[in-house]
Amino acid sequence: MSVITVERKILAKNDEIAEQNRELLKQNDVFTINLVSSPGSGKTSLLEKTISLIGSKVNISVIEGDVQTSLDAERVANYNVPVVSIVTNGACHLEAKLVQDAINNLDLAKTELLFIENVGNLVCPAGFDLGEEMKIVVVSTTEGDDKPLKYPKMFRNSDVMIINKIDLIPYVNCDISKLKDNALLINPGLKIFEVSCTSGEGIKEWCNWLIENVKGKYIHQTQLVY
Amino acid sequence: MHELSIAKNIIEIVKESVEEKDLSEVDKVVLKIGDLSGVVPASLLFSLEAITNNTELENAGYEVINVPFIVKCNTCGKESNNEAGIVRCTLCGSNDTGIISGNELLVSEIILKN
């Protein structure tokens, strides 16, 4: 019997390609967000709202990941931003190689902000680095306030949590302060926004933060007036 | 079911670590899987079996070493074995903690028959 000591990270290959993506995006001054959530939390709606509010101020491109169909990509393309669709044909998450191929189809020189909308899934995308600046997790009030405890890895690995569908709070069994407490138990540094993509509430605050982060590298920005 | 992707990556690592002629000699692959890795060992083992069926590695076994989620508190200095993902110190309630272990997802060792 002989033993070979390996001690290698299983996802080292993915991490390596993700690092190449990160380097390329950095060289081109692209601020990249990996947008994650359960199916139906409102990632695409959030993109639509965000692009319609700040699309004229920031050059946005979108990579749309979906298990099947390019329906989301078509929705986003209606807002006149470059969109590359990745259909995973069954796979439950995006990997760095798929994103690398998608990036090659984008004009990075004309992109300041890149959204990668991941496959709707709170488990699998958490483990796969794509080369993003940060993960942002969207959670909606209809999903209940215990989601962060049930899917800790995703909330741990995200820098921002956006609580969507706050207009539905009176009708659903979701204690929003409990939702926030649960998320902070997992990740005390999490930045939290409360929005409704239907009523538009909270979208300006989120967009102001976004613009500051995208443009912050170059200019000092006061609160934007829309 | 990202376990299938993870399984493919494990097999790649095994193939890179063992000479081709010795692949059928692999007795056991030892994996380290942390409580916060998001990987379900039973699904992973199922995927590994499925993708090595009718290959040189079909008789290889797998051992999963579970790595607990442990948090060290920077306030009281103590370590606690928390419920997966909860970083608040269970002893003093501080949020100023660091994760000591639980994120592992490693191929640790490969054991050959001879």
Side-chain angles (χ1 to χ4, degrees):
Chain A
M1 191 189 91
S2 56
V3 176
I4 303 170
T5 303
V6 185
E7 295 297 331
R8 262 174 69 182
K9 283 172 86 176
I10 293 171
L11 292 180
K13 280 242 164 73
N14 183 75
D15 291 349
E16 212 173 280
I17 300 170
E19 217 38 65
Q20 291 168 11
N21 291 348
R22 187 169 287 112
E23 194 52 42
L24 179 67
L25 293 162
K26 216 166 129 190
Q27 279 167 9
N28 286 279
D29 278 326
V30 179
F31 188 87
T32 305
I33 289 170
N34 180 358
L35 200 57
V36 292
S37 80
S38 314
S41 298
K43 292 187 297 303
T44 313
S45 298
L46 183 73
L47 283 183
E48 290 176 308
K49 281 281 168 192
T50 304
I51 296 165
S52 46
L53 197 58
I54 62 169
S56 59
K57 298 177 177 67
V58 184
N59 292 326
I60 301 175
S61 295
V62 178
I63 295 173
E64 270 292 340
D66 257 311
V67 172
Q68 210 55 264
T69 80
S70 54
L71 292 172
D72 284 355
E74 288 160 24
R75 269 173 69 183
V76 173
N78 284 332
Y79 292 81
N80 295 320
V81 292
V83 182
V84 177
S85 170
I86 301 176
V87 178
T88 65
N89 283 317
C92 50
H93 60 275
L94 294 179
E95 296 191 9
K97 180 72 180 80
L98 292 170
V99 170
Q100 187 172 52
D101 295 344
I103 288 172
N104 288 334
N105 288 312
L106 285 171
D107 187 350
L108 293 184
K110 287 183 184 158
T111 303
E112 292 172 286
L113 171 59
L114 171 62
F115 282 106
I116 304 170
E117 183 179 339
N118 217 313
V119 175
N121 178 344
L122 277 181
V123 184
C124 312
F128 291 83
D129 184 8
L130 304 178
E132 69 271 11
E133 186 115 8
M134 63 173 68
K135 283 189 181 66
I136 294 186
V137 60
V138 182
V139 60
S140 60
T141 57
T142 54
E143 294 165 58
D145 44 45
D146 54 2
K147 275 284 177 296
L149 300 179
K150 289 164 117 175
Y151 301 93
K153 190 178 170 76
M154 188 61 95
F155 289 84
R156 176 73 206 168
N157 289 355
S158 297
D159 287 325
V160 177
M161 172 172 79
I162 297 178
I163 304 173
N164 188 24
K165 308 187 190 176
I166 56 169
D167 54 311
L168 297 181
I169 287 175
Y171 314 106
V172 294
N173 188 16
C174 176
D175 180 342
I176 197 162
S177 61
K178 206 164 160 193
L179 172 59
K180 290 194 269 189
D181 281 350
N182 284 339
L184 294 172
L185 269 178
I186 305 293
N187 186 352
L190 205 58
K191 170 98 182 147
I192 300 174
F193 292 96
E194 299 171 28
V195 309
S196 163
C197 290
T198 303
S199 72
E201 199 180 340
I203 297 289
K204 277 185 191 170
E205 288 78 3
W206 145 248
C207 283
N208 274 325
W209 177 88
L210 194 54
I211 289 213
E212 276 174 21
N213 275 274
V214 176
K215 301 273 193 187
K217 291 176 248 176
Y218 323 108
I219 50 167
H220 289 289
Q221 184 105 9
T222 50
Q223 285 274 304
L224 286 168
V225 181
Y226 297 100
Chain B
M1 263 309 286
H2 62 310
E3 280 78 3
L4 188 57
S5 305
I6 309 261
K8 284 182 185 161
N9 280 281
I10 291 170
I11 298 306
E12 281 303 307
I13 291 175
V14 173
K15 285 181 175 169
E16 285 171 19
S17 309
V18 177
E19 285 187 45
E20 204 178 335
K21 65 177 173 54
D22 290 335
L23 278 177
S24 55
E25 293 294 305
V26 172
D27 184 40
K28 194 163 69 173
V29 180
V30 182
L31 309 168
K32 284 186 185 162
I33 299 184
D35 276 344
L36 198 61
S37 68
V39 170
V40 180
S43 303
L44 181 59
L45 295 176
F46 177 82
S47 301
L48 282 165
E49 265 180 39
I51 63 171
T52 54
N53 200 10
N54 290 325
T55 71
E56 305 98 312
L57 286 165
E58 73 175 340
N59 292 319
Y62 301 90
E63 179 187 339
V64 173
I65 299 175
N66 170 260
V67 186
F69 181 67
I70 294 176
V71 161
K72 187 175 194 320
C73 179
N74 295 325
T75 306
C76 73
K78 298 207 172 89
E79 289 185 5
S80 48
N81 186 350
N82 284 5
E83 194 181 326
I86 295 185
V87 293
R88 188 175 294 170
C89 176
T90 48
L91 301 163
C92 77
S94 168
N95 272 331
D96 183 12
T97 58
I99 295 177
I100 300 287
S101 70
N103 275 317
E104 291 77 0
L105 193 52
L106 299 171
V107 175
S108 177
E109 289 177 344
I110 299 167
I111 298 166
L112 303 180
K113 285 173 195 153
N114 295 304

